[in-house]
Amino acid sequence: MKVLLIPDWQGCTIITDNGYCTIQGLPNDIVDKVFVSEIPISNGIGLITPLVNELTIVSGSSAASLYCELLNEHHIVTREIFNTKPSVLLKGIRNG
């Protein structure tokens, strides 16, 4: 599944092959709740695993840099594209 992340000052918009959604919150919380899963093993020990392998992020803001850093900590590959016309963004997500 291809994922495009468009950060803004209140959260982000996520576009996938199946649709899109807008999420409000801090980048740390969004990454932990949307892109990463913690599977409890025992006594407070959990296995943290990414839910996506890679995504494209619209670059050019401090929020985008923070998302890249947080996602990379979870071994999620980020590909950056610069803010441009919506048609170019959607073409980028379709072509990978």
Side-chain angles (χ1 to χ4, degrees), residues 10-43:
Q10 290 183 319
C12 67
T13 300
I14 300 168
I15 302 173
T16 69
D17 299 331
N18 299 325
Y20 70 94
C21 68
T22 299
I23 302 173
Q24 292 184 339
L26 299 172
N28 298 24
D29 296 333
I30 292 172
V31 168
D32 287 345
K33 302 282 189 252
V34 177
F35 297 108
V36 178
S37 173
E38 183 174 352
I39 303 166
I41 296 175
S42 67
N43 297 337

Side-chain angles (χ1 to χ4, degrees), residues 22 44 49 57 61 74 89:
T22 299
T49 182
I57 186 166
S61 69
H74 293 289
L89 289 175

